[in-house]
Amino acid sequence: MANCYICGRPLNESRFRLRRRVKTGEWVRRDYRSGKPSSVQNRYGSRIVCQGCAKWIDAKDLRSARWQWIQLFLAGAALLIAASFS
């Protein structure tokens, strides 16, 4: 029997397995003179998740996509305003 990768809940046997792209690891290289990270590498993979976690991941991805569209719209509006004043 499989378990959810996010919350660990056991998944019942069904013919449908929900897979989502989730963060599976992180690697940080630090500069020990300043203590700040000099590079960060994130790893993602497709893992089996439960329905609740799948809905949560989908909602988070939708919010992120909406925010990117809002930023693009605001940047375009700022560009148009700047072009109209020059």
Side-chain angles (χ1 to χ4, degrees), residues 16-32:
F16 299 111
R17 295 284 187 206
L18 299 174
R19 290 184 171 269
R20 295 293 184 269
R21 187 171 179 256
V22 297
K23 186 175 178 180
T24 57
E26 181 179 65
W27 181 77
V28 179
R29 175 177 285 170
R30 294 192 178 273
D31 181 10
Y32 286 103

Side-chain angles (χ1 to χ4, degrees), residues 51-86:
Q51 285 184 344
C53 291
K55 287 179 184 178
W56 176 74
I57 291 169
D58 292 342
K60 184 179 71 162
D61 290 344
L62 182 62
R63 281 191 306 270
S64 175
R66 283 182 186 164
W67 180 241
Q68 288 176 354
W69 279 107
I70 290 170
Q71 286 178 330
L72 181 64
F73 175 74
L74 292 175
L79 182 63
L80 288 175
I81 291 170
S84 67
F85 283 118
S86 58

